[in-house]
Amino acid sequence: MGDQQRIPVMVPWLGEAEAQAAADAVLSGWVAQGPRVAEFERAFAERVGAAHGIAVSSCTTALHLALVALDLGPGDEVVVPSLSFIATANAVRYVGAEPVFADIDAATGNLTPDTVEAVRTGRTKAVVLVHQGGVPADVDAVAKYAAEHGIAVVEDAACAIGATVNGRSVGDGSLIAAWSFHPRKVITTGEGGMVTTDNAAWADRLRRLREHGMNASAAQRHASDKPILESYLETGYNYRMTDIQAAVGLVQLAKLDQVVARRRSLAARYHELLDGVPGLSPVRDPHWGTGTYQSFWVLLDEAYPLTRDELLAALAEAGVSARRGIMAAHLEPAYAGHPAAPLPVTERLTRDSLILPLFHTMTEEQQDRVVAVIRQQATG
Ligand SMILES: *Cc1c(COP(=O)(O)O)cnc(C)c1O
């Protein structure tokens, strides 16, 4: 099958408006973190219902800063799902704390109060609640449970820009949340991330930490008519976003509702077309919210005649790029020897699920081709 007809798993929806915005930023002469980053932070925080947004270079760096804001360090345990992109667990190691893997709920792929409780110890200080693949976790239940045990909740909302919980945006009412603008996510700036929080003191500190711990930003010094002698208050990082990225982000953010609506309507069409295929369960919204379908995964069981890897091969043969399901960090060499409780649901999901193509410009004809392969293999 030729490359032209190959159906990709994901394509970001970028166009002339993003190209023009990037060009305008370049031509303005201000390309590093500046006024466009500040504007993107305000617009993004407002969209997700948070008081403050701190733009950074990725969701990975956003997670790192969120854990620094909570003053976590050696001796502290942070509960994370193993079923997540590995950055979720790695960020805990960055601050010297111990990631503790918890199992997940099979329907949503997310942590629940029960799965966290199964691994909680006296040293548990925080939980990183991932909205996996854009499926909203039961934030209210986890936040209530965490409050009862003095545990902080950091939300990894990398895939959940535009998801809702009980009628509110994910991020609205969060203690602290981390977001991604990688091209594989809902909206993109090439690379990029954001921290959101209602806590003004944390926001001030994280704004400094992303720029080497400096007490005055380049933009503040530029705007001042008197020389500002900066000082460096603590060991910081260079986690800045550029104004070129933020310019693209502002255009993407304005398209967010359209992007999410399109993803949800393609997902609904997959649900219809895949209905009744034996041994195959597609991801769905939980009863408490609406997801982004950043990853449209299907879980196979014994009633489906092929294994996950066999179905991936059949799809590839037919020119369809699917992907294995979400990874499990505890199975990777980076976590070899790291203690972990049994994680049966995590291991089943990572072994038996796959992610189907779903992108803004996907046509019905392309979607029909994906489903035809799955149905054909199901009937032998
Ligand atoms: C993609 C992803 C990340 C990392 O995002 P980057 O912006 O690429 O650093 C973290 N957590 C989850 C759940 C992700 O899906």
Side-chain angles (χ1 to χ4, degrees):
M1 171 106 1
D3 268 353
Q4 279 142 320
Q5 290 150 298
R6 181 160 280 278
I7 302 173
V9 71
M10 175 68 159
V11 190
W13 186 41
L14 292 161
E16 282 301 322
E18 286 85 349
Q20 193 55 55
D24 291 345
V26 170
L27 294 171
S28 78
W30 194 295
V31 290
Q33 179 187 291
R36 288 176 173 82
V37 167
E39 191 186 339
F40 184 44
E41 288 174 333
R42 282 192 297 273
F44 186 86
E46 187 182 276
R47 176 62 180 75
V48 304
H52 308 282
I54 302 97
V56 290
S57 52
S58 68
C59 182
T60 305
T61 54
L63 285 167
H64 181 190
L65 290 186
L67 297 171
V68 171
L70 296 174
D71 283 323
L72 296 169
D76 298 333
E77 291 181 355
V78 179
V79 176
V80 298
S82 169
L83 192 93
S84 185
F85 185 58
I86 198 164
T88 307
N90 286 349
V92 176
R93 283 183 163 174
Y94 296 167
V95 297
E98 183 89 359
V100 174
F101 293 123
D103 214 356
I104 48 170
D105 158 51
T108 60
N110 290 323
L111 299 179
T112 68
D114 288 345
T115 68
V116 176
E117 179 61 17
V119 298
R120 184 173 63 88
T121 74
R123 297 197 294 149
T124 307
K125 295 287 169 54
V127 52
V128 182
L129 184 61
V130 180
H131 302 283
Q132 195 50 260
V135 181
D138 193 352
V139 187
D140 294 345
V142 173
K144 179 167 174 284
Y145 161 83
E148 283 162 12
H149 295 93
I151 298 170
V153 180
V154 175
E155 288 174 58
D156 180 341
C159 307
I161 305 172
T164 68
V165 174
N166 295 322
R168 285 172 294 131
S169 172
V170 165
D172 183 341
S174 298
L175 182 68
I176 192 159
W179 311 80
S180 176
F181 307 115
H182 184 274
R184 185 75 179 72
K185 312 298 166 138
V186 182
I187 56 172
T188 185
T189 60
E191 292 274 2
M194 186 84 71
V195 179
T196 57
T197 180
D198 290 343
N199 185 314
W202 289 352
D204 282 348
R205 183 174 175 215
L206 297 191
R207 288 215 163 82
R208 286 194 303 269
L209 283 174
R210 73 164 161 199
E211 79 168 317
H212 307 287
M214 237 188 318
N215 66 348
S217 69
Q220 283 167 334
R221 281 185 291 163
H222 181 76
S224 168
D225 49 11
K226 295 196 191 68
I228 297 182
L229 302 181
E230 80 280 11
S231 72
Y232 298 83
L233 305 181
E234 57 181 319
T235 307
Y237 311 90
N238 179 354
Y239 283 173
R240 285 178 297 227
M241 176 182 275
T242 70
D243 256 29
I244 306 173
Q245 292 169 301
V248 172
L250 281 162
V251 178
Q252 287 270 291
L253 188 61
K255 290 177 166 179
L256 176 62
D257 291 341
Q258 238 184 309
V259 171
V260 173
R262 177 69 183 151
R263 297 193 69 81
R264 291 182 55 78
S265 93
L266 285 166
R269 191 159 182 277
Y270 263 138
H271 286 144
E272 273 169 39
L273 296 173
L274 292 168
D275 191 42
V277 176
L280 182 146
S281 332
V283 60
R284 291 179 184 281
D285 283 339
H287 63 79
W288 55 80
T290 60
T292 61
Y293 291 103
Q294 180 271 342
S295 288
F296 187 88
W297 76 72
V298 296
L299 179 62
L300 304 180
D301 65 38
E302 317 76 57
Y304 194 81
L306 269 57
T307 65
R308 191 274 308 273
D309 290 350
E310 287 165 351
L311 179 55
L312 274 179
L315 286 163
E317 177 103 338
V320 176
S321 293
R323 292 281 183 275
R324 71 167 186 176
I326 290 144
M327 66 176 299
H330 78 286
L331 300 178
E332 293 299 316
Y335 286 90
H338 187 86
L343 302 168
V345 180
T346 298
E347 292 185 2
R348 182 158 74 85
L349 256 73
T350 198
R351 184 186 62 229
D352 296 337
S353 65
L354 65 160
I355 295 169
L356 301 182
L358 201 168
F359 49 93
H360 191 84
T361 51
M362 189 176 200
T363 63
E364 295 196 347
E365 184 270 330
Q366 286 177 313
Q367 202 174 22
D368 293 343
R369 264 178 62 201
V370 177
V371 172
V373 179
I374 295 170
R375 284 202 166 268
Q376 206 175 6
Q377 298 295 330
T379 54

